[in-house]
Amino acid sequence: MSNSHAAAVFTTPDLEEALGVVRTFLGIADLTFAEVDFEATIRSREGVAGVLKVLPELNWWAANASEPRSAKTGDDPAQCLPVSVHDWSHPLDLAEPFIRALRAEDAAAVRWDLNGWPEVPEAGLEEISQKYAYLTLSVNSRDLYQYECSPDHTVHVHVRSGRDLDRVRWLAAQVGGHFTGRTELAPL
């Protein structure tokens, strides 16, 4: 297991704009063998219902630790709100339907596990392998762990600890964003 640092490069209250930034980054990345992971705190019945349509076998459990209810025990997640979701290794085409199923009171971190970032010779950037090629959209939150709920959405680019900040700045420039200087440790 390794760790990366997630650098915030773009924040907006407009979900469509955030998704456009993600699509631009996905157009730059090597998507061979790419997959998407979902982590969320779902607080709304509508959010749970919508997410279950996208992921019928959703891996969830009651966020209240004193309630041992979960997908494994066969409980109804709508009766256990809020629920925590950690569901990994899905095809990329499920990301946007999952995101669109969430409601304003639901928060999520959707992480694209990429195959790599390409070399950009004119910017002096070497190719980055799969080990450090991740992209996260925090939905209704500014952080990776949904601690800082907000009415906006933040796109994070993952980098090696203390390295690759030139790539972060270059990627941010591709979408009209900027590196805020804020990074979060992201155990992978």
Side-chain angles (χ1 to χ4, degrees):
M1 179 181 259
S2 20
N3 296 322
S4 68
H5 281 78
V9 296
F10 197 90
T11 299
T12 179
D14 183 342
L15 183 59
E16 291 306 315
E17 185 177 30
L19 288 169
V21 167
V22 167
R23 285 187 215 108
T24 297
F25 288 154
L26 293 176
I28 294 169
D30 177 353
L31 300 181
T32 309
F33 309 116
E35 57 190 25
V36 66
D37 303 329
F38 306 110
E39 295 185 12
T41 302
I42 302 177
R43 296 175 179 87
S44 71
R45 288 179 178 272
E46 297 84 3
V48 165
V51 166
L52 284 171
K53 286 180 184 174
V54 176
L55 298 170
E57 302 297 320
L58 183 68
N59 184 17
W60 68 270
W61 60 90
N64 180 348
S66 66
E67 294 187 38
R69 301 188 298 172
S70 70
K72 290 181 181 176
T73 58
D75 292 296
D76 176 2
Q79 301 299 316
C80 304
L81 296 174
V83 296
S84 293
V85 170
H86 287 237
D87 211 326
W88 300 317
S89 304
H90 290 284
L92 299 184
D93 64 348
L94 293 180
E96 287 196 34
F98 178 91
I99 292 165
R100 291 181 193 291
L102 300 170
R103 298 298 175 251
E105 60 269 33
D106 306 322
V110 177
R111 186 182 74 210
W112 287 263
D113 302 344
L114 310 170
N115 200 54
W117 292 113
E119 176 183 28
V120 184
E122 63 274 15
L125 301 175
E126 63 186 29
E127 182 178 355
I128 298 292
S129 73
Q130 176 182 15
K131 187 173 180 179
Y132 295 105
Y134 299 93
L135 172 66
T136 299
L137 172 60
S138 295
V139 180
N140 299 323
S141 178
R142 292 188 179 174
D143 67 299
L144 299 179
Y145 305 103
Q146 300 95 54
Y147 298 136
E148 194 180 328
C149 292
S150 68
D152 50 25
H153 320 285
T154 299
V155 179
H156 308 266
V157 175
H158 294 248
V159 296
R160 293 175 279 198
S161 176
R163 298 178 60 192
D164 302 325
L165 295 181
D166 287 340
R167 179 169 308 275
V168 169
R169 289 182 190 95
W170 182 83
L171 284 166
Q174 304 312 298
V175 295
H178 68 282
F179 174 43
T180 65
R182 187 178 90 180
T183 64
E184 293 178 72
L185 182 63
L188 302 172

